[in-house]
């Protein structure tokens, strides 16, 4: 069955970097886009962007240009999100989500979420 | 940018009720709308896409409707396991989530 398994919780200090992984199984990784979604504590969902898993080309939403990098380890069916120069407001759960085959921007499978806490 | 407004923000209903959640776009999104269910501590789950298509495996008590700027998620015969926050998301002219409706059982 389709699974997206994300890396574990992270506790970081402001200014540090973090890398979150999302390992896919149960389907051909490079056939589907991968999205990233942020959810701050007690808040709604915010789309961060997506990565073309075939070409490796990332697309970032306006609020996530600069410190955020999407990357792939295609041979390992893994998508990564790296956040540099962490700020307190980056404290959130980050979800990876697969874009549906019939419509890229419909997210038909989600990872369990990776919690990032930024605190001095 | 097209804005998405969900209402109400909090809804309380009884088991067996028929409930209606609203999602309004600031301009037409041509049925490019999904609904997700997020239970506490879990990842979101896709319920409805293309405004009215039921995702595989989702109970038929969930249905979506609407067109243009106004869309609705209806849950008929509300069950205790439907307690969750429901988000709409448009994918016409960019991807944006609504702010969510939290559904409780009375």
């Amino acid at each position: 069955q389709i699974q997206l398994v994300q890396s574990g919780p992270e506790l970081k200090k402001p200014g540090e970097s973090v890398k979150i992984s999302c390992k896919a199984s149960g389907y051909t990784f490079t056939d589907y886009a991968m999205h990233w979604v942020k959810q701050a504590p007690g808040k709604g969902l915010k789309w961060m962007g997506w990565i073309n898993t075939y070409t490796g080309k990332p697309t970032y939403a306006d609020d996530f240009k600069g410190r955020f990098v999407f990357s792939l380890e295609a041979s390992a069916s893994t998508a990564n999100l790296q956040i540099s120069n962490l700020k307190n407001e980056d404290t959130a759960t980050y979800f990876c989500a697969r874009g549906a085959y019939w419509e890229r921007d419909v997210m038909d499978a989600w990872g369990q979420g990776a919690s990032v806490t930024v605190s001095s | 940018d097209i804005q998405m407004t969900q209402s109400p923000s909090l809804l309380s209903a009884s088991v067996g009720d028929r409930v209606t959640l609203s999602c309004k776009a600031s301009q037409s999104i041509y049925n490019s709308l999904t609904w997700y269910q997020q239970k506490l501590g879990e990842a979101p789950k896709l319920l409805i896409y293309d405004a009215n298509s039921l995702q595989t495996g989702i109970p038929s008590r969930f249905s979506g409707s609407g067109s243009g700027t106004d869309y609705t998620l209806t849950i008929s015969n509300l069950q205790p396991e439907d307690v969750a926050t429901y988000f709409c998301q448009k994918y016409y002219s960019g991807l944006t989530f609504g702010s969510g409706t939290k559904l409780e059982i009375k």
Side-chain angles (χ1 to χ4, degrees):
Chain A
Q1 77 280 20
I2 296 158
Q3 277 195 301
L4 299 175
V5 178
Q6 297 186 238
S7 48
E10 301 269 8
L11 175 59
K12 295 290 185 181
K13 290 181 167 46
E16 294 184 337
S17 295
V18 69
K19 190 173 185 178
I20 298 164
S21 66
C22 170
K23 182 169 177 59
S25 60
Y27 70 97
T28 302
F29 181 71
T30 51
D31 283 351
Y32 297 79
M34 191 70 78
H35 294 268
W36 290 95
V37 176
K38 176 183 179 181
Q39 187 168 40
K43 302 296 185 183
L45 303 170
K46 190 162 188 180
W47 180 67
M48 301 175 69
W50 69 284
I51 186 164
N52 183 319
T53 56
Y54 185 75
T55 65
K57 181 185 178 209
T59 299
Y60 300 98
D62 287 345
D63 287 349
F64 296 96
K65 292 178 179 174
R67 298 187 297 114
F68 301 84
V69 175
F70 307 148
S71 63
L72 301 174
E73 296 169 50
S75 60
S77 299
T78 298
N80 300 306
L81 164 64
Q82 183 158 355
I83 311 172
S84 59
N85 188 20
L86 282 161
K87 305 178 187 306
N88 290 335
E89 54 264 37
D90 295 324
T91 294
T93 297
Y94 294 86
F95 295 98
C96 59
R98 188 182 81 162
Y101 184 84
W102 66 90
E103 169 54 63
R104 183 196 71 207
D105 289 340
V106 172
M107 299 173 214
D108 68 348
W110 291 66
Q112 84 275 19
S115 170
V116 175
T117 302
V118 183
S119 175
S120 54
Chain B
D1 288 4
I2 301 173
Q3 304 304 313
M4 304 299 295
T5 302
Q6 287 190 244
S7 62
S9 54
L10 176 63
L11 180 59
S12 186
S14 300
V15 172
D17 281 356
R18 179 175 181 270
V19 298
T20 300
L21 287 64
S22 172
C23 179
K24 294 182 187 291
S26 57
Q27 62 191 76
S28 180
I29 57 171
Y30 303 99
N31 285 17
S32 297
L33 186 93
T34 64
W35 289 94
Y36 299 95
Q37 175 194 65
Q38 187 179 31
K39 296 182 179 180
L40 193 63
E42 297 185 5
K45 177 195 290 186
L46 175 64
L47 299 177
I48 300 284
Y49 62 91
D50 293 347
N52 56 27
S53 296
L54 190 68
Q55 172 68 344
T56 302
I58 301 302
S60 58
R61 65 178 182 276
F62 292 92
S63 63
S65 62
S67 62
T69 60
D70 293 354
Y71 298 88
T72 298
L73 174 69
T74 300
I75 309 172
S76 58
N77 188 23
L78 187 67
Q79 297 298 299
E81 59 265 32
D82 299 334
V83 168
T85 300
Y86 293 83
F87 294 96
C88 63
Q89 174 226 314
K90 63 100 173 164
Y91 46 96
Y92 173 80
S93 186
L95 199 158
T96 305
F97 289 96
S99 56
T101 292
K102 186 175 183 180
L103 177 60
E104 300 179 337
I105 298 288
K106 280 183 190 174

